[in-house]
Amino acid sequence: MNVRRPRGTNDILPEESRKWQFVEEKIRDICRRFGYQEIRTPIFEHTELFERGIGETTDIVEKEMYTFIDRGDRSITLRPEGTACVVRAFIENKLYAQSLPSKLYYLGPMFRYEKPQAGRYRQFSQFGVEAIGSLDPFLDVEMIILPIELYKACGLSEFHVHINSLGCPKCRGAYRDVLQQQLGTKLDQFCEACQGRISRNPLRVLDCKNSKCQSLVDEIPPITEYLCEECSDHFQQVIQYLDMLGIDYELNPKLVRGFDYYTKTVFEITVPGLGAQNAIGGGGRYDGLVEEIGGKAMPAVGYAVGIDRLLLALEQQNISVFPEQNADVYAAHFGGATKTAAVELVMKLREAGLWVEIDYMDRSLKAQMKSADRFNAAWVVIVGESELEAGKVRVRRMDTGAEEDVELDRLVEYLAAEREG
Ligand code: HAM
């Protein structure tokens, strides 16, 4: 019997999930400020969407998709990324008829059949932003600033922005020819994978991790030297905005990214110390994707943050900005009538907005006090028989140990005042 979690997946336990919630809160706040609205698309789509959208010769489509035939004989794929899904939803729901650009964000699990290691999973979570319908270079820059705001809000101070331009089909075609010609003369010196890539998708050779391939590629002129006037102007404007806004970046002519939909600007943000999986996000412009998937020709740009990796980076850099989670009140009782009164009290205090815990295990008072400590409760309200007869409860401040009898009717008011206090 195999009932363990599948390889490359994670259980996010409560101690961890509060960190996720913290990051998600920051995401929603930043998206609100930047004017991005949430879109939720299905977790699975028709396989063809990704084959057309991402590109049939990419690693993701060739080797990494979770694809299956459903009971209706359709080929279905668990989404390996969000961009193609959002563009599909944009077209299908005619969002183009509303004001443009459509500024959308999403948050959720993605699936890739990759070799699992630290920071690389088969189910992982992304926060992505997509702006569809505008060619404004400031939007490319917004796609870099927005995640930077998130990284900073999470306490990350050390990261690097890498940026490149891949041009448009027109100028990229010319560069492909150059690559095929120049790399082809040394074909036998490349790794086996690159030998195949040179004829099918030569740009992919640029970011091969094999050191021999890297040094061979170093001799090739960068793609930015082959950009057409429009792509070159666009890239210059992106750079000018980055300079104007004081954002540090590194021009990286080898940055090609793993999707065929990219045009013009591409970018990635890395953090030191995460080893090979050091990209905590990446994105770029994809001016041909809307048309490729069946919509009207329309420019677009986006970015996705890997949340698992972001949290890993925070852990490795010993950054903890996550707020403590402490209960407000622990209601201690002695069973019988005191429990009934405690239950009523608990519900009243919860209604008033407090986090209130109660003993569910028939523990002794001493054990209940210990339990209150574990919850870091600010107060313990002891519901004892004699106090109850007098219409009161005993309130103990856990930080000072000070105790006071408080009338039951006044308890909510009393705790609210103490809290302000
Ligand atoms: P991506 O670079 O494939 O881009 O993924 C974005 C981020 O997701 C990566 O930088 C990484 O942090 C995280 N990630 C990717 N694969 C894994 C994995 N196996 N395990 C853990 N984390 C992972 C995209 O997905 C594009 N859709 C981004 C985009 C949006 N481009 C335009 N718009």
Side-chain angles (χ1 to χ4, degrees):
M1 185 168 72
N2 188 357
V3 290
R4 294 172 68 86
R5 63 185 151 86
R7 213 163 111 75
T9 63
N10 291 301
D11 295 315
I12 300 168
L13 303 178
E15 188 55 28
E16 275 299 298
S17 68
R18 72 187 179 95
K19 299 181 183 170
W20 285 76
Q21 285 168 9
F22 172 83
V23 173
E24 285 160 11
E25 270 168 37
K26 296 285 171 207
I27 286 172
R28 295 192 197 284
D29 176 55
I30 291 168
C31 285
R32 184 187 56 79
R33 287 191 277 128
F34 279 72
Y36 285 76
Q37 291 190 314
E38 188 178 8
I39 182 163
R40 301 186 190 203
T41 66
I43 286 191
F44 56 85
E45 297 272 359
H46 291 291
T47 304
E48 201 187 339
L49 172 69
F50 302 115
E51 286 171 347
R52 287 189 75 94
I54 297 175
E56 292 193 83
T57 58
T58 57
D59 280 357
I60 293 185
V61 171
E62 278 189 341
K63 303 186 241 171
E64 295 172 3
M65 296 207 300
Y66 276 91
T67 298
F68 59 95
I69 301 295
D70 75 2
R71 288 169 195 270
D73 228 15
R74 302 172 196 91
S75 180
I76 295 292
T77 294
L78 300 185
R79 62 181 186 195
E81 61 110 42
T83 310
C85 310
V86 169
V87 170
R88 195 240 349 109
F90 171 85
I91 300 168
E92 196 164 332
N93 297 286
K94 302 189 174 55
L95 296 188
Y96 48 79
Q98 300 174 9
S99 98
L100 294 177
S102 238
K103 291 165 66 185
L104 304 164
Y105 83 91
Y106 52 91
L107 196 59
M110 306 290 159
F111 306 85
R112 295 184 195 171
Y113 193 82
E114 293 194 84
K115 202 164 168 220
Q117 61 184 83
R120 189 163 72 192
Y121 313 110
R122 290 183 174 167
Q123 176 176 334
F124 59 96
S125 275
Q126 279 187 350
F127 151 56
V129 269
E130 314 290 348
I132 309 174
S134 164
L135 196 55
D136 187 342
F138 177 56
L139 269 180
D140 306 35
V141 173
E142 207 166 86
M143 291 302 164
I144 299 173
I145 300 176
L146 189 150
I148 288 182
E149 286 282 304
L150 175 67
Y151 298 141
K152 284 190 181 158
C154 293
L156 210 61
S157 53
E158 220 187 313
F159 47 79
H160 305 289
V161 177
H162 306 261
I163 180 166
N164 191 19
S165 175
L166 297 179
C168 60
K170 214 169 41 178
C171 45
R172 195 178 327 167
Y175 190 62
R176 270 176 70 111
D177 293 344
V178 171
L179 281 180
Q180 270 170 342
Q181 200 184 23
Q182 299 204 6
L183 303 177
T185 58
K186 297 176 187 157
L187 192 65
D188 53 343
Q189 296 179 48
F190 282 94
C191 73
E192 209 183 307
C194 280
Q195 292 191 11
R197 286 175 185 138
I198 289 172
S199 56
R200 289 184 308 142
N201 203 341
L203 271 165
R204 285 277 100 74
V205 177
L206 297 181
D207 71 346
C208 177
K209 301 286 176 278
N210 181 304
S211 56
K212 181 84 202 323
C213 298
Q214 293 237 342
S215 64
L216 289 166
V217 155
D218 279 339
E219 297 158 20
I220 306 288
I223 188 165
T224 38
E225 284 181 15
Y226 290 82
L227 297 180
C228 64
E229 201 179 326
E230 189 202 320
C231 290
S232 176
D233 274 359
H234 186 93
F235 197 43
Q236 285 314 314
Q237 287 185 62
V238 169
I239 299 292
Q240 276 166 13
Y241 276 124
L242 288 174
D243 289 340
M244 181 186 110
L245 296 167
I247 294 161
D248 286 336
Y249 59 88
E250 206 177 289
L251 294 175
N252 181 350
K254 288 187 188 161
L255 182 67
V256 290
R257 312 247 325 121
F259 304 85
D260 282 353
Y261 53 59
Y262 287 120
T263 52
K264 294 193 169 70
T265 334
V266 285
F267 26 84
E268 215 160 76
I269 300 186
T270 59
V271 279
L274 277 192
Q277 310 309 321
N278 63 354
I280 49 170
R285 196 159 258 296
Y286 48 93
D287 294 339
L289 185 59
V290 181
E291 191 177 17
E292 182 68 41
I293 295 179
K296 267 200 340 216
M298 200 175 281
V301 61
Y303 185 93
V305 172
I307 302 184
D308 310 71
R309 271 189 213 170
L310 168 59
L311 286 166
L312 204 61
L314 295 177
E315 197 181 303
Q316 292 207 338
Q317 297 186 17
N318 281 323
I319 296 166
S320 185
V321 281
F322 312 109
E324 286 288 316
Q325 290 199 321
N326 303 326
D328 294 305
V329 177
Y330 189 95
H333 60 86
F334 302 89
T338 64
K339 169 140 186 216
T340 312
V343 164
E344 271 177 334
L345 199 81
V346 163
M347 292 315 294
K348 221 157 102 185
L349 293 174
R350 285 178 179 165
E351 238 167 70
L354 301 180
W355 172 4
V356 189
E357 290 291 339
I358 184 171
D359 172 52
Y360 307 98
M361 307 295 285
D362 292 331
R363 292 183 175 98
S364 68
L365 182 63
K366 196 170 156 205
Q368 290 186 60
M369 294 307 275
K370 265 200 192 150
S371 178
D373 263 341
R374 273 197 296 275
F375 284 110
N376 269 327
W379 297 280
V380 174
V381 172
I382 305 165
V383 189
E385 240 167 83
S386 52
E387 289 88 352
L388 209 54
E389 269 167 28
K392 293 184 176 174
V393 284
R394 177 151 300 177
V395 179
R396 182 185 172 96
R397 264 187 76 135
M398 295 301 276
D399 56 350
T400 61
E403 289 192 0
E404 196 178 337
D405 283 352
V406 179
E407 279 157 28
L408 262 174
D409 306 347
R410 274 190 52 238
L411 188 65
V412 172
E413 208 183 309
Y414 171 89
L415 290 176
E418 285 280 300
R419 225 176 165 204
E420 293 285 300

